[in-house]
Amino acid sequence: MLLLGRVFRLLRKVLFWFFVLSVGSVVLFKWVPVPITPLMISRSIENKWHGKPVVLEHDWVPLDSISPQLQKAVIASEDGRFLTHWGFDFEALHKAYKNNARGRKIKGGSTITQQTAKNVFLWQGRSYVRKALEAYFTVLIECIWGKERIMEVYLNSIEMGPGIYGAQAASIYWYQKEASGLRPRQAAGIAAILPSPLRFKAKNSSTYITRRKNTILRHMQYIGKLNYD
């Protein structure tokens, strides 16, 4: 019984400090740019391990320096209900569940908020523990950050090419221009490769990515003025 009591006390301390540190980090990153993510670190380690060049381009810019076209493109491509849901798109999750149950291509149904939580605070991979933590951080950033900050962190943190992270680095890498100057088709090109940014190219694309660009462009037309309030 004495040992069991010690275990419970230790567990309470661990949970307490996890809560303090997790909430503290979310509050901090509401105001401070995210300098590096777990994915950036793991990619660098992988490349070093395999003897490949370690490339890490990551230039943080405020959201008003990122073209609204790219903001619309990622909403059209990744999360059509981003502006209206509270972190989880249950309709998309249900559709993904039905598709996966039928043996079709696996789709996760993750929202932009969930992807941001995973990219900034967690490791890659599939496990119930990581999904539970992802849900926890999703609720935190929806409550503490709000939509505008989530979009800003998302577009500054996600992988958009080999060693390329964030809209500014991606715009320069793919189109040799600032993120603020992206035209609709260029924005759609970057959004189109997000499922596999190491496999696909935003410029001089494959037929598959060209079709995705065209689909994203059509969906972008139905997104009106962005309102993050």
Side-chain angles (χ1 to χ4, degrees), residues 135-155:
Y136 169 74
F137 278 105
T138 294
V139 172
L140 279 185
I141 63 178
E142 278 283 346
C143 293
I144 296 175
W145 288 2
K147 295 294 187 183
E148 186 170 2
R149 180 59 175 176
I150 290 170
M151 179 61 74
E152 184 173 60
V153 174
Y154 175 79
L155 286 177

Side-chain angles (χ1 to χ4, degrees), residues 30-179:
K30 178 178 173 65
W31 311 108
V32 176
V34 178
I36 196 166
T37 67
L39 180 60
M40 296 177 194
I41 296 171
S42 65
R43 288 280 193 248
S44 297
I45 293 173
E46 286 174 13
N47 288 341
K48 186 72 174 177
W49 179 262
H50 293 291
K52 298 178 181 179
V54 177
V55 179
L56 203 168
E57 297 293 336
H58 179 223
D59 303 308
W60 184 283
V61 293
L63 189 61
D64 58 14
S65 294
I66 299 175
S67 171
Q69 299 299 333
L70 184 57
Q71 299 174 47
K72 290 183 178 182
V74 297
I75 291 173
S77 173
E78 299 294 300
D79 185 1
R81 299 180 184 86
F82 172 69
L83 295 175
T84 57
H85 65 60
W86 288 89
F88 305 96
D89 186 342
F90 293 104
E91 184 175 336
L93 287 171
H94 180 63
K95 186 181 296 185
Y97 172 79
K98 289 198 300 183
N99 285 336
N100 296 340
R102 292 169 183 167
R104 297 178 181 176
K105 184 178 179 181
I106 294 176
K107 296 180 180 180
S110 292
T111 64
I112 285 175
T113 309
Q114 289 174 274
Q115 292 179 45
T116 304
K118 178 186 69 176
N119 288 333
V120 174
F121 299 104
L122 302 170
W123 63 94
Q124 302 297 306
R126 295 175 180 273
S127 71
Y128 289 116
V129 172
R130 192 193 63 74
K131 291 301 290 184
L133 290 173
E134 179 186 298
Y136 169 74
F137 278 105
T138 294
V139 172
L140 279 185
I141 63 178
E142 278 283 346
C143 293
I144 296 175
W145 288 2
K147 295 294 187 183
E148 186 170 2
R149 180 59 175 176
I150 290 170
M151 179 61 74
E152 184 173 60
V153 174
Y154 175 79
L155 286 177
N156 275 288
S157 302
I158 56 173
E159 189 176 37
M160 294 179 165
I164 307 301
Y165 300 91
Q168 179 72 357
S171 300
I172 292 173
Y173 178 79
W174 291 115
Y175 299 113
Q176 297 76 55
K177 61 169 54 180
E178 303 286 313

Side-chain angles (χ1 to χ4, degrees), residues 178-212:
E178 303 286 313
S180 59
L182 287 172
R183 297 193 297 272
R185 188 163 188 84
Q186 294 169 335
I190 292 175
I193 68 170
L194 291 185
S196 299
L198 302 184
R199 177 184 175 189
F200 298 122
K201 296 180 179 180
K203 190 176 180 181
N204 300 321
S205 310
S206 65
T207 302
Y208 169 71
I209 292 299
T210 299
R211 288 199 302 267
R212 277 185 56 81

